[in-house]
């Protein structure tokens, strides 16, 4: 049963081949057996899951239907969940039980999805390897000596290991697409504003976007359908009707204009990955797509711009975790300054502290013009590159990551080498565009 996709589960439930309760119990048993090795969950909510499964079965018995009614999922542990720990994989929030559900959590619960728990992640979604979690590194199910990618690495590892069919993630600079790529999944970062950020603990608000991780495009469409939609509680939410994301799944690719940026195939890209992408391009050509080489001339500036903007926003967003309003509080503070200092020094891990320092520096008087303002100008140039490209093509295709999953610990001494892994994904966030990663093959047994 654990091999079923969301679409197959929906059919199985509709045909009464199994109940949601049965399926949920099977998956919970599989998690108990396998997750001690993978560490993909921070919190399991078994009792709640069985309760939700029974409720979904009852709704089906009453004649209700729906692709997500009774479908098991899990949430990245930065979506607030009423009464359930929402830790952001940080000591800072180790004891935080959210007093409300995030919009995404509430919408999926209404659609009848069964949440099995909260998945592991990089601390405050900062990272590309899922090694910065307070609860320990997540392992890649394809080879447990390797990272699963990040920051939605727990969701990716759990889905890749068939512990559940799909899970939510968030993507600020690639955190849905990159772990999807490193674990052979399909992961979708929606257009900025398509999915409500209300109740999603912020990393960099102008870039963060929630989305689905699953094994197929079809399943991503199903899960996104349950997540998307205007939310008056999120001022950046798009007030547009939500299309039927499954409607075009079988549309022919004949005549689709696919742009392949020349800049994507430069040094730094593992030639074996380049070959896999070229093979995919040939397949798409066979299916009728028209391939065109394009240029994104400002792409080389994306990483430096992102690593100013994202930390700048993070330094502001994370100021609320001060041991008073939110978060861990140190023992026996001498005075208020000591309380702030020690609570934040104890509560945040090294990568989060590094980002806060970089961000506060880039925003400070005297440096703002040189860093933050310049980065924002680059952001506009990158967006303009895309606007120009989309005059010529319908979609843009390239590798998701320059390398396959690296060994756990391999990049610990050099954070910038991990930042460089985001080179293909962050432009979409800077421009607010949607982006999808789909499987393309294996290199040395790794996706
Ligand atoms: N790896 C990127 C970072 O550390 C992206 C993370 C994300 O998308 N949340 O900022």
């Amino acid at each position: 049963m654990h091999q079923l996709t969301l679409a197959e589960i929906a059919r199985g439930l509709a045909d009464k081949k199994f109940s949601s309760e049965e399926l949920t119990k099977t998956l919970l048993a599989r998690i108990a057996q396998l997750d001690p090795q993978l560490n993909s969950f921070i919190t399991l909510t078994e009792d709640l899951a069985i309760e939700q499964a029974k409720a979904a079965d009852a709704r089906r018995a009453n004649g209700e239907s729906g692709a997500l009614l009774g479908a098991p999922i899990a949430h990245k542990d930065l979506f607030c969940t009423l009464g359930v720990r929402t830790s952001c994989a940080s000591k800072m929030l180790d004891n935080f039980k959210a007093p409300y559900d995030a919009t995404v959590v509430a919408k999926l619960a209404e659609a009848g999805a069964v949440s099995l728990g909260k998945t592991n992640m990089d601390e405050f979604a900062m990272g590309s390897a899922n090694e910065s979690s307070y609860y320990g590194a997540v392992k890649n199910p394809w080879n447990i000596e390797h990272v699963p990618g990040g920051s939605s690495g727990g969701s990716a590892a759990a889905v890749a290991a068939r512990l559940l069919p799909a899970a939510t993630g968030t993507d600020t600079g690639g955190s849905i697409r990159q772990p999807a790529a490193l674990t052979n999944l399909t992961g979708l970062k929606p257009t900025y504003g398509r999915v409500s950020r209300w109740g999603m603990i912020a990393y960099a608000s102008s870039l963060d976007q929630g989305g689905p991780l699953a094994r197929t495009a079809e399943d991503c469409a199903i899960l996104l359908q349950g997540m998307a939609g205007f939310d008056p509680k999120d001022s950046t939410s798009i007030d547009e009707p939500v299309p039927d994301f499954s409607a075009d799944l079988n549309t022919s690719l004949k005549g689709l204009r696919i742009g392949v940026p020349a800049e994507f195939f430069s040094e730094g890209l593992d030639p074996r990955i380049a070959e896999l992408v070229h093979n995919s391009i040939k397949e798409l050509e066979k299916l009728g797509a028209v391939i065109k080489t394009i240029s994104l001339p400002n792409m080389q500036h994306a990483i430096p711009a992102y690593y100013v903007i994202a930390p700048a926003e993070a330094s502001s967003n994370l100021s609320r975790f001060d041991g008073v309003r939110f978060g861990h509080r140190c023992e026996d503070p001498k005075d208020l300054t000591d309380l702030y200092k020690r609570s934040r020094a104890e509560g945040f891990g090294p990568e989060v502290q590094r980002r806060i320092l970089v961000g506060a520096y880039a925003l400070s008087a005297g440096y703002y013009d040189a860093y933050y303002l310049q980065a924002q100008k680059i952001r506009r140039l990158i967006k303009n590159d895309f606007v120009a490209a989309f005059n010529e093509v319908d979609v843009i295709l390239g590798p998701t990551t320059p390398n396959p999953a690296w060994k756990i610990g391999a990049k610990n001494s050099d954070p910038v080498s991990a930042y460089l892994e985001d080179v293909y994904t962050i432009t979409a966030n800077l421009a607010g565009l949607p982006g999808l990663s789909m499987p393309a093959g294996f290199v040395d047994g790794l996706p």
Side-chain angles (χ1 to χ4, degrees), residues 123-375:
E123 186 178 3
F124 281 99
M126 298 173 187
S128 317
N130 223 126
E131 293 178 282
S132 71
S133 167
Y134 175 59
Y135 305 95
V138 178
K139 317 283 165 54
N140 190 322
W142 293 95
N143 181 336
I144 58 171
E145 285 177 11
H146 290 251
V147 302
S151 63
S152 312
S155 289
V159 177
R162 313 301 195 246
L163 304 184
L164 76 179
T168 59
T170 62
D171 192 311
T172 306
S175 282
I176 290 176
R177 292 161 288 158
Q178 187 258 13
L182 300 194
T183 58
N184 204 43
L185 299 181
T186 300
L188 176 71
K189 172 208 137 16
T191 304
Y192 184 76
R194 178 55 90 187
V195 170
S196 169
R197 290 186 299 109
W198 197 75
M200 204 178 100
I201 296 176
Y203 161 17
S205 314
S206 76
L207 303 160
D208 296 343
Q209 188 59 202
L213 281 134
R215 276 155 48 208
T216 63
E218 184 180 32
D219 280 8
C220 280
I222 292 172
L223 190 55
L224 182 61
Q225 206 75 48
M227 299 172 77
F230 175 63
D231 181 3
K233 289 190 278 211
D234 171 1
S235 62
T236 58
S237 168
I238 307 173
D239 193 359
E240 291 276 339
V242 178
D244 176 0
F245 296 116
S246 302
D248 283 329
L249 283 171
N250 294 312
T251 303
S252 157
L253 298 184
K254 219 174 177 64
L256 184 78
R257 298 169 305 166
I258 299 180
V260 180
E263 292 85 356
F264 279 15
F265 295 89
S266 58
E267 113 193 71
L269 172 63
D270 184 325
R272 299 166 301 175
I273 293 185
E275 193 189 325
L276 292 174
V277 175
H278 284 304
N279 293 343
S280 306
I281 291 172
K282 279 183 218 140
E283 286 300 313
L284 292 164
E285 262 184 317
K286 275 189 222 155
L287 294 169
V290 182
I291 309 294
K292 208 175 155 154
T293 302
I294 59 160
S295 176
L296 296 173
N298 291 294
M299 193 188 131
Q300 53 174 324
H301 306 303
I303 289 182
Y306 173 88
Y307 278 98
V308 170
I309 294 170
E313 293 187 20
S315 74
S316 167
N317 277 326
L318 271 58
S319 65
R320 75 192 59 164
F321 304 107
D322 57 5
V324 179
R325 286 173 298 169
F326 290 102
H328 166 80
R329 180 178 299 179
C330 68
E331 300 263 335
D332 305 322
K334 279 204 312 282
D335 53 30
L336 189 61
T337 308
D338 183 46
L339 181 147
Y340 286 151
K341 274 192 179 165
R342 278 202 291 126
S343 299
R344 286 168 68 81
E346 291 167 12
F348 291 132
E351 185 59 29
V352 175
Q353 293 191 18
R354 178 166 24 241
R355 307 268 180 127
I356 292 173
L357 288 170
V358 169
Y361 179 85
L363 288 178
S364 58
Y367 296 104
Y368 178 93
D369 289 348
Y371 295 108
Y372 186 71
L373 201 63
Q374 291 302 103

